[in-house]
Amino acid sequence: RAQEEYVPAYTGVTCLMGCANVPRIRGICFPSSATTKCHACYYPTRAPREGTDDDPGDYEQVFQIYFPSPVERPDTWRTLTPQEAKDECRDLAKKLRKDGWDEQFLKPLEHPTLTGVLRVGLRSREGLESWHVGGNVIGVGKNDEQDFEVDDTLKKVGRAVLLGDAAHPPVPYIGQGAMMAMEDAGTLSALLGHYCPIIKHNGDDGDTNTQPTVPDFSQFSKAMSVYESLRVSRTKTILGSSMQLGKTQQKRAESKLYNTWREWSIKAQVWAYGTLPVMRPGAAFDYRTVVEEALLAEDGGCNEGEIDRK
């Protein structure tokens, strides 16, 4: 495939983001503006523990405000200086105040502790179908009688495995990109530990410390097959939901009628489920259980506690 196919494309959206030490609004909030045609996401990243003194420094609120920007301007995508951040965020707060935004959403933009403000353009591409290259190493296996030397041709080919943004770059609307990467890492670690265990080679004196210890890559391809079967479809589902949520939020900003309907829909879903159902598939997931079930289906499973040890 041509290299251009793997380059993320500009989505037509830019994001202004930052944080300030202000009390949290509630969990996560998705306000939108029908006048400036922008929408936003606010969420707390720090709050004081229950029963402790209420110190403003114990709070932190993050904001991400998304603007439709058809013309790509990468020259403007950068971290703003403190003065630039102060001026731009205060001007934006004035516009949003005229739009009727609640003051709780404007407070972080005008707060003295405003920091970490940057402007970025959002890019995206489809996740890859194959996340690895290379295969098994000839001559290294569980049989100690096999030659310990690694084949020279395989040294040139090598092995590489992708995970996280390299395999499936997300758009940020659903806030689960980093979680997908951690699930990738946990799944990959567990599968490599199961299919490619460490081999200890005995020296002439019987001492295992005198010889290198290396993974047994004789089932590397098998590990990768299971890894991709578990992760490719899941990341596509979750990150596809993120893209859809972003489109929904932008539609709210462009249509007052749709926004009114969507507000009632969100309230009904939260009342019924405690959160938006689109968030549940990301949060209610245990990669260890999924790996254990996959290993059981593939080759009879793993030893008790093996996944936790990885």
Side-chain angles (χ1 to χ4, degrees):
R1 295 171 62 181
Q3 185 175 353
E4 290 75 15
E5 294 184 55
Y6 299 102
V7 178
Y10 177 54
T11 62
V13 177
T14 61
C15 177
L16 183 72
M17 63 181 73
C19 62
N21 299 128
V22 298
R24 68 180 182 179
I25 302 165
R26 56 176 187 267
I28 185 170
C29 299
F30 297 103
S32 62
S33 172
T35 305
T36 56
K37 306 301 182 185
C38 68
H39 61 93
C41 176
Y42 286 73
Y43 55 92
T45 53
R46 188 170 65 239
R49 296 179 180 177
E50 293 185 9
T52 61
D53 294 335
D54 193 7
D55 187 333
D58 291 335
Y59 291 99
E60 185 177 76
Q61 184 84 215
V62 171
F63 62 86
Q64 297 173 342
I65 306 177
Y66 303 97
F67 301 88
S69 306
V71 179
E72 190 173 9
R73 289 287 307 279
D75 56 302
T76 67
W77 302 345
R78 57 183 176 83
T79 301
L80 276 59
T81 67
Q83 189 60 48
E84 288 174 333
K86 179 179 178 181
D87 293 342
E88 182 159 341
C89 287
R90 288 193 173 185
D91 287 344
L92 178 58
K94 291 178 182 178
K95 293 178 182 178
L96 297 179
R97 186 173 282 113
K98 290 181 180 179
D99 285 354
W101 280 42
D102 193 285
E103 287 297 320
Q104 62 184 339
F105 296 121
L106 307 181
K107 191 173 182 180
L109 298 172
E110 299 177 317
H111 203 268
T113 62
L114 176 70
T115 187
V117 179
L118 66 153
R119 186 191 302 108
V120 296
L122 302 187
R123 294 175 177 268
S124 71
R125 66 162 168 78
E126 292 293 324
L128 302 177
E129 295 291 340
S130 178
W131 294 7
H132 82 284
V133 294
N136 302 329
V137 171
I138 299 173
V140 179
K142 295 182 178 179
N143 187 345
D144 286 338
E145 295 180 0
Q146 286 180 291
D147 188 1
F148 178 64
E149 295 299 322
V150 176
D151 186 88
D152 288 338
T153 59
L154 290 172
K155 283 184 178 179
K156 296 177 182 178
V157 174
R159 288 174 301 274
V161 186
L162 298 179
L163 70 162
D165 290 3
H168 44 77
V171 288
Y173 304 114
I174 207 169
Q176 295 179 353
M179 184 175 69
M180 292 296 102
M182 289 188 284
E183 289 179 10
D184 291 346
T187 301
L188 179 61
S189 174
L191 292 174
L192 288 177
H194 179 78
Y195 285 110
C196 306
I198 297 295
I199 306 168
K200 292 185 178 180
H201 291 269
N202 295 327
D204 294 337
D205 57 358
D207 187 357
T208 59
N209 295 323
T210 62
Q211 292 291 327
T213 58
V214 296
D216 170 11
F217 286 115
S218 61
Q219 295 195 78
F220 177 78
S221 292
K222 179 65 174 178
M224 293 303 97
S225 175
V226 178
Y227 173 57
E228 291 168 356
S229 71
L230 295 179
R231 299 304 304 159
V232 171
S233 60
R234 172 163 170 77
T235 53
K236 278 191 174 184
T237 298
I238 300 301
L239 301 181
S241 297
S242 183
M243 181 68 76
Q244 187 58 44
L245 181 60
K247 292 178 180 179
T248 299
Q249 289 299 99
Q250 187 58 48
K251 190 174 179 180
R252 288 180 63 194
E254 295 172 353
S255 169
K256 290 184 178 180
L257 181 61
Y258 178 82
N259 183 49
T260 300
W261 174 85
R262 181 62 177 164
E263 284 288 335
W264 283 103
S265 173
I266 290 173
K267 290 179 180 178
Q269 291 178 66
V270 172
W271 177 82
Y273 303 105
T275 186
L276 293 178
V278 71
M279 297 291 186
R280 283 192 175 275
F285 183 81
D286 183 354
Y287 79 86
R288 292 170 296 184
T289 299
V290 172
V291 171
E292 288 171 354
E293 291 174 350
L295 293 178
L296 184 62
E298 288 288 336
D299 52 14
C302 55
N303 296 328
E304 184 176 356
E306 181 179 359
I307 301 300
D308 290 332
R309 292 197 299 273
K310 307 307 178 196

